[in-house]
Amino acid sequence: MTEHAPLELERFLPYRLSILSNRISQAIARDYQSRFDLSMTEWRVMAVLARFDSQGLSASDVAARTEMDKVAVSRALARLVAARRVARRTHNGDKRRSVLRLTATGWKVHDAVAPLARTHERELLAMLGDDERDALMRVLDKLAPV
Amino acid sequence: MTEHAPLELERFLPYRLSILSNRISQAIARDYQSRFDLSMTEWRVMAVLARFDSQGLSASDVAARTEMDKVAVSRALARLVAARRVARRTHNGDKRRSVLRLTATGWKVHDAVAPLARTHERELLAMLGDDERDALMRVLDKLAPV
DNA sequence: TGCTTGTAGTTTCATATGAAACTAATCTTA
DNA sequence: TAAGATTAGTTTCATATGAAACTACAAGCA
């Protein structure tokens, strides 16, 4: 008789991680989308621009910081600029580079979304014990260091 | 002075989980793709068909077991059937339902891919300590119960 | 029976995504 | 300093995805 040793998908780590991550991301994305007409990628761009505001980031700085590819960043920025949430200027002395800042409107959105994001995270972490939370953070540090 | 409290994306749990999951899935997907012309969704369908082989699953059984939506399953099956990796018959007594089985070819692919999948998982887990591994599994059980 | 409602699966359509080609500007070096 | 190589960013093209419409069949019920 032949032995096929099928995989138990529901215990397979990569599968479970992808289920978990998709559930969380989609729940959050739906929320941002419906409340602010803001996609996950747009929010990530805004979060980075907010955090490094003083530095006048370029699109490729944003791509590096968000781990998104430059096409995704370019498209997110196109929408954010059209919505006047981000101002795009040209770099002094390097006309290829853009210099990106949140506008006042952009900051308003940011200041509404950021607490919402924190709440989502808190709700997740509340389901875990302290020890599990710590272990999870260590796991993330080891498997996907920043 | 205004306080904007920007989010530190690189410490934000949903973001980190999505980075980790995408990295792992993409690495594995690239591997299956290049070696077997098999997408991640196709592999998941095959894994479920292998596991519940005796039960003559239908497409919606597969959708339920894989947590994929029925459109994705339908398309994966179309490709798998075209490649003669899966045989599709019609259910006796309910002509809407399909009855799906791996073909001999399908089993060959399965038997090559399954150990590969296990290896990927082992390599991941090898980066963690026993305690971290246990905690990770508990976290997954709590946050994304099967 | 025949009508309504429900279910399995596929197709359509609109959007998302990424690789590669492209444009424009800058840098390198002979 | 002019040609070739690099870099920033956009566009194109091919594929992936999901919601909703659609087709075919089945079940419930008058």
Side-chain angles (χ1 to χ4, degrees), chain A:
Chain A
M1 201 203 107
T2 323
E3 187 42 64
H4 286 302
L7 203 68
E8 293 181 46
L9 211 52
E10 73 276 18
R11 292 193 196 167
F12 184 56
L13 179 59
Y15 172 73
R16 299 198 67 185
L17 271 176
S18 118
I19 296 284
L20 175 61
S21 164
N22 286 343
R23 279 191 194 163
I24 294 174
S25 292
Q26 279 174 19
I28 300 182
R30 252 191 302 277
D31 192 9
Y32 296 170
Q33 183 79 58
S34 62
R35 297 204 206 189
F36 301 99
D37 186 27
L38 189 69
S39 73
M40 179 68 37
T41 60
E42 285 162 326
W43 165 244
R44 285 181 183 170
V45 169
M46 289 190 72
V48 164
L49 291 181
R51 174 111 177 279
F52 303 98
D53 179 52
S54 56
Q55 297 169 42
L57 298 188
S58 70
S60 37
D61 295 332
V62 171
R65 295 262 180 209
T66 53
E67 297 227 3
M68 291 160 53
D69 75 58
K70 61 181 184 167
V71 178
V73 170
S74 169
R75 287 196 266 236
L77 281 171
R79 269 187 46 97
L80 289 169
V81 169
R84 308 203 182 282
R85 289 169 171 182
V86 169
R88 173 156 45 192
R89 326 204 79 217
T90 299
H91 190 276
N92 265 350
D94 187 345
K95 288 173 204 154
R96 292 168 309 178
R97 264 189 153 74
S98 53
V99 177
L100 303 161
R101 307 295 288 271
L102 293 181
T103 62
T105 309
W107 277 112
K108 265 187 225 163
V109 174
H110 171 272
D111 292 350
V113 172
L116 214 66
R118 277 188 248 274
T119 299
H120 274 293
E121 183 181 44
R122 241 195 323 275
E123 285 172 1
L124 276 179
L125 290 173
M127 301 178 72
L128 306 178
D130 288 358
D131 50 329
E132 287 161 350
R133 183 176 325 171
D134 294 347
L136 177 57
M137 294 308 166
R138 278 203 308 281
V139 166
L140 288 170
D141 286 336
K142 282 192 176 180
L143 297 185
V146 187

Side-chain angles (χ1 to χ4, degrees), chain B residues 33-101:
Chain B
Q33 182 79 59
S34 62
R35 298 205 206 187
F36 302 98
D37 187 27
L38 187 71
S39 73
M40 177 67 39
T41 62
E42 284 160 9
W43 166 242
R44 286 180 182 171
V45 169
M46 291 190 70
V48 164
L49 291 181
R51 176 111 176 278
F52 302 97
D53 180 52
S54 55
Q55 299 168 42
L57 297 189
S58 70
S60 37
D61 295 331
V62 172
R65 296 261 181 212
T66 53
E67 297 226 2
M68 291 161 51
D69 75 59
K70 61 181 183 170
V71 178
V73 170
S74 170
R75 287 195 267 237
L77 282 171
R79 269 186 47 97
L80 289 169
V81 169
R84 308 201 183 282
R85 290 169 171 183
V86 169
R88 172 157 46 191
R89 328 203 78 218
T90 298
H91 190 275
N92 265 351
D94 186 345
K95 289 174 203 153
R96 292 168 308 177
R97 265 189 154 73
S98 53
V99 178
L100 304 162
R101 305 296 288 271

